[in-house]
Amino acid sequence: MRRTIVALVRSAGYEARGFASAEEFLRCGTVRGFACIITDVQMPGMSGIELKQHLTASRCLVPVIMITARHDPGLEAQATASGAVSFLRKPFDAGALIRCLEGALAP
Amino acid sequence: MSGSKSPSKRRWRVARRRLPRQGGLPAVAGSQRKTEAPNTDIEDRKRAESALQRSEDFLAEAQRLSRTGSFGWNVSTGEIFWSEETFRIFGHEPATNVTLDLMLSRVHPDDLASVQRVIDRVATHREAFDIEHRLQMPDGSVKHLHVVTHALVDKPENQEFAGAVMDITAHKETEHALRHSERRYQNLFQAMAVAFFEVDYTSSRQLLRALRDAGVGDFRRYFKENPTFVRDIMRATRIVDVNDRTVALFGRGRKEELLTSVESFWPEESLQDYVEAVLASIERNQEFSTETRMRRLDGTIFDAHFTLRYASEDGQRGLAGVIDITARKQAFLALEKSEQRYRHLFHNMPVALWQLNAEPLIATFKELRGQGVGDLSTYIDDHPEFLANAIGALMVEEVNDYTVQLFGARTRQELLGPTHWTWAKSIDTFRRAMESRWRGEELFQETTKLVTRDGRVINALFTAARPQTIEGLPISLISVIDLTEQVRAEEELQRVRADFAHAARISMLGELTASVAHEVNQPLAAIAAGGEASLRWLARPTPDVDEVQELTKGMVADARRASEIIARIRAVATRRAPEPILLSLDDVIGEALLFLRHEVESRGVAVSHFSALGPQKVLADRTQLQQVVVNLAVNAMQAMAQAESKKRNLTIRTVAPDPTRLRCSVEDSGPGIEPRHETRLFDSFFSTKDGGMGMGLRICRSVIEAHGGRIEADNGSSHGGARFSFTLPVASA
């Protein structure tokens, strides 16, 4: 899935890179060099929401788009509360993701 | 020799030599006296001579035939004359010069003294004598002689004796044999375990004769009409002697008591048997025997075997033998009863029974052992024809009614003889039965499939018993219990169990709908996104074919993954008969975890799988075993979720606690099992979950037990929660 999203974003004309987990992304050292972050809510280790909270705490304001396969009620509210700019449920429409991305990057 | 006058030795011998033998002349009774008669007439003399010669020839012949020799002895002159036969008896050539010493040299050493005494007395007192003594012949044989003399008293001054020597050896031997036989008879008579008594029929014969004289022809009828007459005959039949055994059997200690008539021996009920004995005697049968009942002096009656033999030609004396057969009769009755019981059991048992004659088979075994065959199994491998031959050698001699029914035969005869027809599906069973017999086992039992006479195949418990002590006959008893119904019930149970497990899987799929949907959606979403991305690459002014190629590869892989997931779900949802195969327990756990991946992720559970197993396998149905693992894992995750545990750990371990078993345990970090629930965990409809059916653990137990294992629960988790463990037997091979 990760691989497909990277390909999809690149097909829209952006540069993109995939990471296996939130921890791996945080360790890459160029977090502030990215214009947007797309993350799954549920991941082994740090969750998407925890990642956003971590970024906020470290004053990193890169917009975060969250995706989830879960249908727990309240999950979207939690994501929005944490500061996510968009929230998508799988399976999502590719156009919808691009629209979210364009929205997040709009000046 | 009597009447011969002063025969001198010389003259007699000369006379004997002078007389050539001539036959064909009339016999003339006479003696040598005639030779003494003066006769001047030549013709007369010639006639007299030939008559004399004839007479001598006849005498010699008579002596030879009667083994009697003659002799003359002149005590005064010491002259001794022997006849030809006397020479032969003494074993000397006729020409020998006879002296007293010659005679004495042949006398048996043991008899020499007494013979000498007799001779001395004759010489001194001139008395005639009559003695028996023995001769010791040069070849070592012994002859018995009877010697008789008398004095020729007409010449007192010239005392002569004439005598006869009889060879009584044969007679002596006969006498000896007779005495021996008589003694033997007496010994037998007294010592045999048969009561013998000798009876005198003289008086009873007279009664019968009188009856015949009175015109009675049909004795049988007469006896029937006159039973008192039979009693009369009994009373007239006297017992003259009895042996000790008779005293013991009939009497009260004293022999004399029994020496009366036979009447008291014959109770009323045996009258007819006695009549038969009498009739047999009238018909001049030498021997008669019957089984009857006889009476003792004290009045008690016993079963007897009675034999009667007429000892004398005229039927005046008879010998009766009686054997007490009470014990034998009782034993026989008991045997008969037990035989009847056996027959009854054999024929009426609701079990198929065959009686086999194993004699030819045992002979074959003996032969093989003689050839040095030690292991029959190896022998059969080398000689596969042995089995067919062995079946041919085992003949069914008898079957019971139930066998006829069970084996679909029309008659009992159809089932007798060799049993080739029944082993088509189970020759291995027959082989193992042979090997068992070879090892000398008394019992062999196996469940197997047997072909019936009408071609059906039945599931049966086959048992062969080889009792070693049925009169030494090598008999085998086979019992066949029809297990068809039982096997059908067992199969039905298996089917219900499988249905039950299937229903539980469907129910679980329902519970896991979200996870299942996610599992399927994941690759589908990826494919959709991949498609969109490809379209975008293609829509560019310069389509990027390389990018599209990469994306398309990814989509193909995702589509394959999707179909694998669907196949997995399908396997869970499909209803089919369990199919035990050799499985690695760890593989099954891995597959279950794959199925639960989304569930695990979405519940935020950390799962670990530790294996301490080698290559051991279990024989199990893959889907059912997966179901157990999934069930236990889902239970653990639900328990942790329900308790809102912060830390959610699930560990699955596999170990081999001993060489025969494998164990899998599922440990969680939930609240553990409440002690009051522990005993009811695996019961049906027991649940601590909200909306739980309470069938999950029940199914787990049913599946594990059907695979020969056990399942149990405790709070021994390394994470401090509950631990569910099951064991399964290690599959051999």
Side-chain angles (χ1 to χ4, degrees):
Chain A
M1 194 65 202
R2 184 173 67 245
R3 194 169 33 79
T4 312
I5 289 172
V6 168
L8 186 61
V9 171
R10 286 180 61 242
S11 71
Y14 304 99
E15 289 294 319
R17 215 178 132 190
F19 298 91
S21 66
E23 287 85 348
E24 195 184 313
F25 167 64
L26 292 174
R27 276 201 301 274
C28 80
T30 55
V31 176
R32 288 168 201 272
F34 289 98
C36 184
I37 297 166
I38 302 172
T39 178
D40 205 321
V41 174
Q42 191 64 51
M43 289 183 291
M46 189 183 281
S47 73
I49 291 170
E50 284 165 342
L51 173 64
K52 172 63 185 138
Q53 287 165 346
H54 179 85
L55 292 172
T56 307
S58 48
R59 295 172 187 275
C60 175
L61 298 173
V62 179
V64 175
I65 298 170
M66 293 192 191
I67 303 170
T68 187
R70 291 173 67 169
H71 296 264
D72 311 21
L75 197 62
E76 186 170 354
Q78 272 183 58
T80 313
S82 71
V85 291
S86 297
F87 184 81
L88 289 171
R89 284 185 195 279
K90 290 186 201 172
F92 51 84
D93 176 45
L97 178 65
I98 300 299
R99 277 194 298 279
C100 285
L101 182 62
E102 282 166 350
L105 295 177
Chain B
M1 283 294 116
S2 70
S4 67
K5 287 179 189 169
S6 57
S8 78
K9 189 173 110 194
R10 168 174 288 274
R11 180 174 52 79
W12 282 41
R13 275 163 129 193
V14 167
R16 274 173 4 93
R17 279 182 186 159
R18 208 178 50 218
L19 296 171
R21 284 164 188 269
Q22 285 175 9
L25 295 169
V28 173
S31 69
Q32 287 90 337
R33 218 187 300 164
K34 283 200 166 173
T35 63
E36 302 303 305
N39 196 334
T40 51
D41 181 36
I42 299 291
E43 285 306 307
D44 278 357
R45 190 176 169 86
K46 271 190 177 169
R47 216 169 17 246
E49 275 198 4
S50 60
L52 180 64
Q53 190 203 328
R54 244 182 8 244
S55 166
E56 279 216 353
D57 285 349
F58 279 116
L59 182 65
E61 196 60 36
Q63 290 198 347
R64 242 192 328 272
L65 284 173
S66 63
R67 293 175 179 271
T68 305
S70 56
F71 67 89
W73 181 22
N74 188 320
V75 179
S76 314
T77 64
E79 280 179 307
I80 296 176
F81 157 75
W82 278 2
S83 75
E84 215 171 312
E85 181 63 18
T86 308
F87 276 106
R88 193 163 45 238
I89 290 171
F90 275 82
H92 283 297
E93 283 300 307
T96 310
N97 189 22
V98 183
T99 63
L100 258 184
D101 288 342
L102 182 77
M103 191 272 279
L104 287 173
S105 70
R106 280 279 194 261
V107 172
H108 194 278
D110 294 350
D111 294 345
L112 198 54
S114 59
V115 171
Q116 190 71 61
R117 259 201 311 278
V118 170
I119 288 171
D120 289 349
R121 203 161 55 236
V122 172
T124 316
H125 304 289
R126 317 277 160 123
E127 280 176 352
F129 62 93
D130 179 340
I131 61 164
E132 279 186 18
H133 72 84
R134 287 167 294 173
L135 296 184
Q136 177 81 58
M137 304 307 288
D139 65 357
S141 65
V142 172
K143 282 184 180 172
H144 290 264
L145 300 187
H146 184 193
V147 184
V148 187
T149 67
H150 79 112
L152 299 173
V153 289
D154 55 341
K155 289 188 178 169
E157 78 291 343
N158 192 15
Q159 188 66 57
E160 276 192 54
F161 286 91
V165 181
M166 282 169 277
D167 182 350
I168 56 166
T169 310
H171 173 71
K172 273 281 174 191
E173 278 166 3
T174 311
E175 189 187 281
H176 180 74
L178 200 65
R179 219 177 11 241
H180 194 66
S181 130
E182 167 72 9
R183 201 160 48 235
R184 225 169 22 209
Y185 168 74
Q186 276 299 330
N187 284 346
L188 273 177
F189 188 77
Q190 288 303 335
M192 263 181 64
V194 177
F196 279 124
F197 50 91
E198 200 176 349
V199 282
D200 182 345
Y201 292 107
T202 316
S203 307
S204 56
R205 285 267 155 204
Q206 281 165 5
L207 284 176
L208 290 170
R209 211 169 296 130
L211 209 58
R212 196 189 292 279
D213 292 346
V216 173
D218 188 345
F219 283 100
R220 184 182 294 278
R221 197 171 128 206
Y222 185 83
F223 292 154
K224 191 163 190 158
E225 288 163 0
N226 302 277
T228 54
F229 181 78
V230 178
R231 286 277 160 205
D232 289 343
I233 294 179
M234 285 183 189
R235 272 193 293 279
T237 305
R238 314 294 303 175
I239 298 175
V240 294
D241 194 10
V242 300
N243 71 346
D244 295 347
R245 187 76 194 167
T246 305
V247 177
L249 183 57
F250 287 94
R252 286 172 288 217
R254 286 197 313 115
K255 180 176 176 177
E256 291 69 27
E257 269 188 304
L258 293 163
L259 301 181
T260 57
S261 81
V262 297
E263 197 203 356
S264 66
F265 290 175
W266 295 93
E268 209 53 42
E269 60 180 292
S270 304
L271 202 69
Q272 192 51 42
D273 289 331
Y274 188 80
V275 165
E276 294 299 331
V278 173
L279 289 170
S281 84
I282 291 169
E283 284 155 19
R284 299 259 163 219
N285 291 334
Q286 279 299 298
E287 196 172 291
F288 171 80
S289 75
T290 185
E291 273 190 19
T292 184
R293 309 250 300 151
M294 294 185 83
R295 185 165 55 201
R296 299 187 179 89
L297 288 187
D298 66 7
T300 55
I301 292 173
F302 63 96
D303 292 303
H305 184 264
F306 174 81
T307 307
L308 184 61
R309 208 182 157 76
Y310 299 103
S312 58
E313 278 294 304
D314 55 7
Q316 303 292 341
R317 287 286 173 109
L319 189 63
V322 177
I323 302 170
D324 180 0
I325 56 168
T326 312
R328 197 205 296 171
K329 198 141 186 170
Q330 275 166 2
F332 182 74
L333 283 175
L335 199 66
E336 210 169 45
K337 221 172 186 172
S338 123
E339 169 75 7
Q340 271 167 10
R341 261 203 307 265
Y342 168 73
R343 292 272 133 231
H344 183 78
L345 269 177
F346 186 87
H347 284 297
N348 298 315
M349 285 267 282
V351 172
L353 293 172
W354 314 346
Q355 186 176 299
L356 260 63
N357 179 3
E359 210 164 351
L361 180 72
I362 284 175
T364 308
F365 275 15
K366 198 173 276 174
E367 209 178 294
L368 290 180
R369 284 189 213 277
Q371 290 167 16
V373 174
D375 178 20
L376 187 65
S377 191
T378 316
Y379 179 83
I380 297 174
D381 287 343
D382 297 342
H383 304 84
E385 74 283 359
F386 170 85
L387 290 176
N389 292 341
I391 294 174
L394 272 168
M395 309 290 271
V396 175
E397 290 185 322
E398 193 157 10
V399 297
N400 65 351
D401 295 343
Y402 195 81
T403 307
V404 176
Q405 189 187 324
L406 178 60
F407 282 85
R410 285 187 302 275
T411 64
R412 201 167 284 204
Q413 272 63 38
E414 280 186 88
L415 300 169
L416 304 184
T419 55
H420 294 285
W421 48 271
T422 205
W423 297 109
K425 305 275 179 201
S426 50
I427 193 69
D428 285 351
T429 298
F430 182 79
R431 177 184 176 144
R432 283 187 288 272
M434 288 301 98
E435 290 170 7
S436 152
R437 182 185 266 285
W438 177 267
R439 290 189 298 269
E441 293 164 8
E442 279 196 28
L443 207 71
F444 171 79
Q445 196 169 65
E446 196 168 294
T447 54
T448 188
K449 288 185 193 301
L450 296 175
V451 179
T452 64
R453 241 359 189 156
D454 53 359
R456 288 170 297 123
V457 176
I458 55 168
N459 290 291
L461 178 64
F462 174 88
T463 309
R466 301 108 180 188
Q468 311 238 313
T469 51
I470 296 188
E471 292 168 13
L473 291 175
I475 290 290
S476 276
L477 273 181
I478 303 294
S479 80
V480 178
I481 296 172
D482 183 9
L483 297 180
T484 308
E485 278 309 307
Q486 201 174 320
V487 168
R488 197 172 295 156
E490 186 70 30
E491 283 168 359
E492 179 68 13
L493 181 68
Q494 286 292 345
R495 203 177 56 73
V496 168
R497 231 181 219 158
D499 285 354
F500 190 38
H502 172 251
R505 286 199 300 276
I506 297 294
S507 145
M508 184 160 45
L509 280 180
E511 279 184 57
L512 299 176
T513 310
S515 286
V516 169
H518 174 79
E519 278 295 300
V520 180
N521 276 339
Q522 196 83 327
L524 291 182
I527 290 166
E532 296 260 8
S534 297
L535 288 174
R536 282 174 190 276
W537 283 115
L538 291 171
R540 287 196 174 193
T542 321
D544 192 328
V545 178
D546 290 344
E547 288 284 352
V548 172
Q549 196 172 12
E550 275 308 302
L551 279 167
T552 308
K553 278 183 192 165
M555 287 188 285
V556 171
D558 281 330
R560 196 167 290 138
R561 200 152 64 88
S563 70
E564 278 168 18
I565 291 165
I566 289 167
R568 217 159 45 224
I569 293 163
R570 211 185 140 78
V572 172
T574 306
R575 185 205 346 232
R576 52 168 189 80
E579 187 187 343
I581 53 169
L582 287 176
L583 294 172
S584 149
L585 192 51
D586 288 313
D587 286 355
V588 172
I589 292 166
E591 288 152 9
L593 289 178
L594 205 58
F595 186 76
L596 287 173
R597 189 176 55 181
H598 180 261
E599 191 73 11
V600 166
E601 281 178 13
S602 68
R603 288 181 186 279
V605 177
V607 175
S608 355
H609 174 192
F610 299 112
S611 174
L613 294 182
Q616 303 101 312
K617 294 265 195 302
V618 291
L619 188 65
D621 177 75
R622 180 188 298 273
T623 308
Q624 288 197 350
L625 203 51
Q626 274 179 15
Q627 183 179 358
V628 171
V629 176
V630 166
N631 223 315
L632 294 179
V634 167
N635 265 358
M637 289 191 284
Q638 286 177 343
M640 292 187 286
Q642 200 171 332
E644 292 177 1
S645 309
K646 277 273 168 281
K647 190 181 58 130
R648 299 182 186 179
N649 287 309
L650 184 68
T651 297
I652 302 181
R653 294 176 205 278
T654 51
V655 292
D658 59 61
T660 63
R661 290 179 306 156
L662 300 183
R663 176 187 290 139
C664 167
S665 48
V666 178
E667 304 171 14
D668 67 38
S669 57
I673 302 155
E674 284 190 49
R676 64 195 170 98
H677 292 153
E678 221 166 309
T679 54
R680 298 175 54 210
L681 278 179
F682 296 99
D683 291 350
S684 298
F685 309 117
F686 175 80
S687 180
T688 57
K689 287 187 288 192
D690 304 330
M693 269 270 284
M695 291 311 288
L697 286 175
R698 180 71 191 81
I699 300 279
C700 288
R701 188 172 79 172
S702 154
V703 167
I704 292 299
E705 287 179 355
H707 285 85
R710 285 179 57 79
I711 188 165
E712 56 202 5
D714 58 23
N715 286 327
S717 166
S718 56
H719 304 297
R723 174 174 66 182
F724 285 79
S725 314
F726 63 85
T727 55
L728 288 173
V730 171
S732 48

